[in-house]
């Protein structure tokens, strides 16, 4: 199975800060990577698909990049409503889909 | 509007069985793969199972293989998860998820809580 390693596991930042989260795949997954936002008690929300494509109606402060084994997710200017846990997910291996461990984003 | 509504979550004893249902509406159900994803209390998201659109193929996470069975009814627009030999570590919120395109989870239900406890 493909392992997805996210870092950091948590971070604290101020409103307006640039936030960067990384996701490393255990093998080459091309650009078959998505990013999701999860708030407590809510369903997860797709933010970025195919590593760098912004989902419809998602604010442009969210972005993604990378290919192969190394991926980056950025919030360019953190807003109060961005407090959540973020997950990467690979879909190169359609037999076993895997998520990263998550990054919890908090306000400093 | 796409809607996915899970049901069937409850408290069950270790070793017991349960069937979850997910009623879908607002899209052409028979055209989409469907998945179940779970989140244990205080833990991350974990993919559980997938069924393709014409019911010809299903896959499972190793942790549930041989115990869980996914199925779907393309007339009733419903996907199911039959869970047997339940263990304490199966305790989680189970989400029903629509697949837009081969592993891209674009719509999620609100989830149903399964608690395995004596």
């Amino acid at each position: 199975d493909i392992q997805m390693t996210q870092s950091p596991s948590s971070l604290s930042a101020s409103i307006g800060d640039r936030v960067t989260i990384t996701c490393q795949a255990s093998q080459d997954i091309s650009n078959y990577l998505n990013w999701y936002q999860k708030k407590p008690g809510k369903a997860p929300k797709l933010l970025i698909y195919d590593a760098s494509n912004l989902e419809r109606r998602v604010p442009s402060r969210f972005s993604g990049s990378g290919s192969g084994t190394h991926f980056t997710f950025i919030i360019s200017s953190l807003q109060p409503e961005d407090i959540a846990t973020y997950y990467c997910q690979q879909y190169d291996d359609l037999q076993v889909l895997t998520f990263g461990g998550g990054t919890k984003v908090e306000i400093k | 509007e796409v809607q996915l509504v899970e049901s069937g979550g409850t408290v069950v004893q270790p070793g017991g069985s349960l069937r979850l249902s997910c009623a879908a509406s607002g899209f052409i159900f028979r055209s989409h793969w469907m998945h179940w994803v779970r989140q244990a209390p205080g833990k991350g998201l974990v993919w559980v199972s997938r069924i393709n659109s014409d019911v010809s193929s299903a896959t499972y996470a190793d942790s549930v293989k041989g115990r869980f069975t996914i199925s779907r009814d393309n007339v009733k627009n419903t996907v199911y998860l039959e869970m047997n030999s339940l263990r304490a570590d199966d305790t989680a919120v189970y989400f029903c998820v629509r697949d837009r395109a081969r592993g891209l989870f674009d719509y999620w239900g609100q989830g149903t809580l399964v608690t395995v406890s004596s």
Side-chain angles (χ1 to χ4, degrees):
Chain A
D1 299 353
I2 298 174
Q3 307 303 316
M4 305 301 295
T5 304
Q6 254 183 268
S7 62
S9 56
S10 66
L11 65 88
S12 182
S14 300
I15 299 301
D17 280 355
R18 180 182 178 93
V19 169
T20 302
I21 299 169
T22 64
C23 186
Q24 182 114 10
S26 60
Q27 64 188 65
D28 189 337
I29 59 169
S30 184
N31 68 331
Y32 299 135
L33 183 104
N34 305 316
W35 291 95
Y36 301 87
Q37 178 191 65
K38 176 70 171 71
K39 296 181 178 181
K42 301 282 191 179
K45 178 183 177 183
L46 175 66
L47 300 179
I48 302 287
Y49 64 95
D50 295 348
S52 61
N53 293 304
L54 192 67
E55 176 66 351
R56 294 180 299 254
R57 295 186 291 273
V58 172
S60 59
R61 64 179 180 274
F62 296 102
S63 65
S65 64
S67 66
T69 62
H70 188 79
F71 301 86
T72 302
F73 173 81
I74 291 173
I75 308 173
S76 60
S77 177
L78 186 67
Q79 300 301 303
E81 61 267 31
D82 300 336
I83 300 314
T85 301
Y86 294 85
Y87 295 89
C88 61
Q89 173 245 330
Q90 68 80 20
Y91 60 103
D92 180 64
D93 179 359
L94 291 177
Q95 298 305 306
V96 180
L97 299 153
T98 47
F99 289 91
T103 297
K104 186 174 184 179
V105 175
E106 298 175 315
I107 297 291
K108 189 182 293 182
Chain B
E1 179 194 4
V2 172
Q3 286 199 317
L4 299 169
V5 180
E6 303 97 335
S7 61
T10 189
V11 179
V12 60
Q13 291 191 335
S17 299
L18 199 60
R19 187 175 86 157
L20 305 182
S21 301
C22 170
S25 61
F27 65 101
I28 303 173
F29 180 73
R30 64 180 181 275
S31 296
H32 291 265
W33 291 9
M34 297 295 294
H35 302 259
W36 289 95
V37 173
R38 70 185 182 184
Q39 184 174 35
K43 303 295 186 181
L45 299 172
V46 176
W47 172 82
V48 173
S49 182
R50 178 263 291 169
I51 188 166
N52 68 348
S53 53
D54 65 2
V55 202
S56 62
S57 171
T59 62
Y60 301 90
D62 286 345
S63 59
V64 307
K65 201 173 293 183
R67 300 187 301 122
F68 289 13
T69 302
I70 191 171
S71 62
R72 65 190 292 163
D73 185 328
N74 285 345
V75 173
K76 295 182 177 179
N77 290 351
T78 301
V79 60
Y80 305 97
L81 187 67
E82 188 79 36
M83 303 185 293
N84 297 314
S85 303
L86 282 162
R87 312 184 304 220
D89 62 358
D90 294 317
T91 294
V93 174
Y94 285 75
F95 295 98
C96 170
V97 189
R98 188 184 87 160
D99 189 318
R100 177 191 298 171
R102 303 297 183 266
L104 201 168
F105 305 146
D106 64 346
Y107 284 96
W108 299 64
Q110 288 300 309
T112 187
L113 176 63
V114 173
T115 303
V116 183
S117 173
S118 54

